[in-house]
């Protein structure tokens, strides 16, 4: 006697995205911009956005910044923030508490 199986399709996990995810992503971006602005040489958030837009995309947003601010942002502060994001994401994936 042959028994029929109702469904032979492989099991697929259902992925649910929390509605809080966009809010958390926006908070992360705001925290990163705030972190890049703090230090001995103060850089405003407008200047940070202007520096990033000018150096990465070649777009002038109209806010003035010095070459010293741009070099501090790209040589010290941006690598620090990127490294912190990488370490935090690695710790969250590994399950560290």
């Amino acid at each position: 006697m042959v028994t029929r199986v109702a469904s032979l399709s492989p099991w697929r996990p259902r992925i649910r995205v929390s509605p809080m995810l966009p809010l958390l992503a926006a908070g992360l971006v705001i925290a990163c911009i705030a972190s890049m602005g703090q230090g001995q040489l103060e850089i405003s958030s407008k200047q940070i956005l202007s520096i990033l837009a000018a150096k990465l995309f070649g777009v002038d947003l109209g806010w003035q910044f010095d070459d010293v601010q741009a070099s501090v942002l790209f040589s010290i502060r941006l690598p620090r923030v990127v490294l912190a994001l990488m370490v935090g994401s690695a710790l969250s994936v590994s399950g560290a508490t």
Side-chain angles (χ1 to χ4, degrees):
M1 175 178 226
V2 176
T3 307
R4 289 195 66 108
V5 178
S7 174
L8 296 176
S9 66
W11 178 76
R12 293 184 185 173
R14 188 171 145 193
I15 299 173
R16 291 180 43 185
V17 177
S18 172
M20 291 291 292
L21 188 61
L23 293 174
L24 292 172
L28 180 64
V29 169
I30 291 170
C32 288
I33 291 173
S35 174
M36 287 188 276
Q38 302 298 319
Q40 185 71 24
L41 179 65
E42 192 168 322
I43 306 173
S44 70
S45 59
K46 292 177 182 179
Q47 288 173 328
I48 291 171
L49 293 176
S50 182
I51 292 169
L52 291 175
K55 298 293 182 179
L56 296 178
F57 305 113
V59 177
D60 184 21
L61 296 180
W63 294 303
Q64 300 296 320
F65 60 88
D66 298 332
D67 289 335
V68 174
Q69 290 173 327
S71 65
V72 166
L73 184 70
F74 273 99
S75 65
I76 298 171
R77 295 183 185 176
L78 189 61
R80 179 187 66 196
V81 169
V82 170
L83 181 63
L85 289 173
M86 290 171 54
V87 169
S89 62
L91 288 173
S92 70
V93 168
S94 72
T97 57

